[in-house]
Amino acid sequence: DTTGRGGAIFSDTNVVNISINRSTFDGNSAANGGAIFGTALNGAITVVNSTFFQNSVTGQGAAAFSEDQSINISFSTFYENS
C-alpha cells in the first residue's frame, strides 16, 4: 500500500515488543517504512539475521522507518531498496 505505513509490519501505540529472526522482507511498499513502520512509544522492534530486498516507499525509509519506536536491526542484509 503506497499510501500507508509499513508494507509488511505496522506497529502502533498498543504494541509492546516485536522480535523477528531469519525473515525476508521482499517487495513490500508503503508511503513510509517499505517493510516496517514503528510508532509505539513503549516498545521496540528487533530484527536479526534477516533480509530486506526490493522494498520501496514514496516517502522515507525504504526498509524501515520509525516515528517514535526503537527499531534495532542487526546481522541483516539490505539490497535494492528504494
Side-chain angles (χ1 to χ4, degrees):
D1 178 7
T2 58
T3 61
R5 300 180 287 181
I9 295 173
F10 173 69
S11 171
D12 70 6
T13 56
N14 296 319
V15 174
V16 179
N17 292 307
I18 297 173
S19 297
I20 300 160
N21 190 21
R22 296 182 185 165
S23 296
T24 299
F25 298 91
D26 183 355
N28 298 288
S29 62
N32 293 302
I36 299 172
F37 185 96
T39 188
L41 293 172
N42 299 320
I45 298 171
T46 303
V47 181
V48 180
N49 294 320
S50 295
T51 300
F52 294 82
F53 175 65
Q54 291 186 341
N55 299 288
S56 62
V57 292
T58 56
Q60 300 174 336
F65 182 81
S66 174
E67 285 184 345
D68 298 306
Q69 189 168 14
S70 295
I71 300 177
N72 306 301
I73 301 172
S74 59
F75 305 106
S76 296
T77 303
F78 298 80
Y79 60 104
E80 296 183 21
N81 297 287
S82 60

